[in-house]
C-alpha cells in the first residue's frame, strides 16, 4: 500500500488489481484469523457460525454509525443534495414550473449565503465547458451555456420558494419541491482607456446584453440510502446467524436429553 501511494498514473494494476488484492488480504487476515481460532476450539461448523454472526453484528453497528453521522465520509453513500438547472428563460411567464412564475417577490429573496449556493449551480450551467486532453465534456453539459466565463455576467437577484421539513412521526414522509430562480444579465465590458492602477468599475448590465432567469429545483439526493440498505441487509444476516446458533443449541440439547433418557423396557412376548 505504501508503494501504491507513490503511483501517479492509474492503470489496470492500480487501482483495479491492487484494490482487489487489498480487500482479499483484509478478509483473509482479519476474518480468517478469527475463524481459525474459533474453529480450532469449537469446530469448523460452530466456529463459522460464531464468527459469521459476530461479523454481522459488528457490521450492523458500523452501518448504523454510517446512517447517523453528520457527514458519512469514506463510507457507502449516495448522491449529495444539490441544485439542478431545469430551464433558462428570458421571462418567468415561460417557466414550466408554476411556482417559478410568481416567485419574484421581495419575500422570496434569499440571504447571501444561500444565494452563493445557488450561484454555484448557475455558474456550472451558464459557463461553457471546454474539453481538454484529459477531460471530456459530457454530451448535455452545455445545454444551458451562454457565456465563456463567470466574469461575463452577474446574478442580480436570487429567489427561493417551497421546501419542507417532514416529521415522520406525524405521518409526513415526502418533501415539498423547492424551487429557486436566479436573475442574470450580461456585464458591460470595462473601458479600455481606464488608467492603470485604479480599481475596476463595479459590474453593470450591458444595454443590449443578454438577460434572463435560471430556474432550478432542489435535488435532495440519496446520501444515506446506501448505508440504510446496508444496515437492513446486515441486520437480516445477523438475525439469521442468531437463529442458526439457537437451532443448533436446541438440536444439541434434544440429542443430549435423548442420550440420557433411560432405555425403554423390552416388550414382553404375549402368552399363547
Amino acid at each position: 500500500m505504501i508503494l501504491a501511494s507513490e503511483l501517479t498514473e492509474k492503470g489496470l494494476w492500480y487501482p483495479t488489481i491492487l484494490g482487489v488484492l487489498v480487500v482479499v488480504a483484509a478478509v483473509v487476515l482479519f476474518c480468517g484469523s478469527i475463524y481459525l481460532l474459533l474453529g480450532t476450539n469449537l469446530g469448523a461448523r460452530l466456529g463459522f457460525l460464531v464468527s459469521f454472526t459476530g461479523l454481522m453484528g459488528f457490521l450492523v453497528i458500523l452501518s448504523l454509525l454510517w446512517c447517523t453521522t453528520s457527514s458519512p465520509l469514506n463510507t457507502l453513500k449516495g448522491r449529495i443534495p444539490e441544485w439542478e438547472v431545469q430551464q433558462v428563460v428570458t421571462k418567468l411567464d415561460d417557466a414550466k414550473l408554476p411556482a417559478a412564475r410568481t416567485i419574484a417577490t421581495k419575500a422570496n429573496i434569499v440571504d447571501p449565503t444561500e444565494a452563493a449556493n445557488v450561484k454555484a449551480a448557475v455558474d456550472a450551467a451558464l459557463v461553457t465547458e471546454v474539453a481538454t486532453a484529459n477531460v471530456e465534456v459530457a454530451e448535455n453539459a452545455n445545454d444551458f451555456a451562454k457565456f465563456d466565463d463567470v466574469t461575463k455576467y452577474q446574478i442580480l437577484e436570487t429567489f427561493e420558494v417551497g421546501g419542507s421539513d417532514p416529521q415522520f412521526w406525524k405521518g409526513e414522509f415526502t418533501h415539498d419541491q423547492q424551487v429557486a430562480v436566479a436573475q442574470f444579465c450580461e456585464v458591460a465590458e470595462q473601458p479600455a482607456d481606464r488608467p492603470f492602477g485604479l480599481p475596476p468599475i463595479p459590474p453593470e448590465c450591458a444595454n443590449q446584453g443578454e438577460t434572463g432567469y435560471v430556474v432550478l429545483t432542489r435535488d435532495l439526493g440519496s446520501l444515506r440510502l446506501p448505508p440504510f440498505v446496508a444496515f437492513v441487509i446486515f441486520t437480516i444476516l445477523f438475525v439469521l446467524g442468531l437463529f442458526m446458533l439457537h437451532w443448533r443449541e436446541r438440536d444439541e440439547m434434544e440429542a443430549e436429553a435423548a442420550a440420557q433418557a433411560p432405555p425403554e423396557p423390552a416388550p414382553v412376548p404375549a402368552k399363547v
Side-chain angles (χ1 to χ4, degrees), residues 110-123:
V110 300
D111 57 84
T113 302
E114 182 61 21
N117 295 333
V118 177
K119 186 178 184 302
V122 173
D123 292 342

Side-chain angles (χ1 to χ4, degrees), residues 147-232:
F147 304 98
D148 295 334
D149 57 72
V150 295
T151 61
K152 302 297 183 182
Y153 67 94
Q154 66 173 339
I155 303 297
L156 300 177
E157 205 66 78
T158 304
F159 309 91
E160 281 187 19
V161 69
S164 63
D165 186 16
Q167 299 174 351
F168 65 90
W169 57 88
K170 295 183 179 180
E172 300 172 353
F173 299 100
T174 58
H175 292 262
D176 295 335
Q177 187 180 44
Q178 189 174 7
V179 180
V181 170
Q183 182 183 8
F184 69 91
C185 71
E186 187 175 353
V187 174
E189 295 185 0
Q190 296 284 337
D193 57 350
R194 185 170 179 79
F196 178 77
L198 294 179
I201 300 176
E204 297 180 354
C205 295
N207 294 330
Q208 302 297 327
E210 187 169 2
T211 60
Y213 299 87
V214 181
V215 181
L216 309 94
T217 56
R218 185 68 171 175
D219 179 14
L220 298 177
S222 58
L223 186 63
R224 303 185 188 280
L225 180 59
F228 178 74
V229 173
F231 170 74
V232 172

Side-chain angles (χ1 to χ4, degrees), residues 58-68 227-228 230-232 234:
F58 167 75
L59 292 177
V60 167
I61 299 175
L62 184 62
S63 58
L64 184 61
L65 292 176
W66 293 346
C67 294
T68 55
F228 178 74
F231 170 74
V232 172
F234 293 145

Side-chain angles (χ1 to χ4, degrees), residues 12-23:
L12 180 61
W13 166 253
Y14 174 78
T16 305
I17 298 177
L18 186 60
V20 173
L21 292 178
V22 169
V23 173

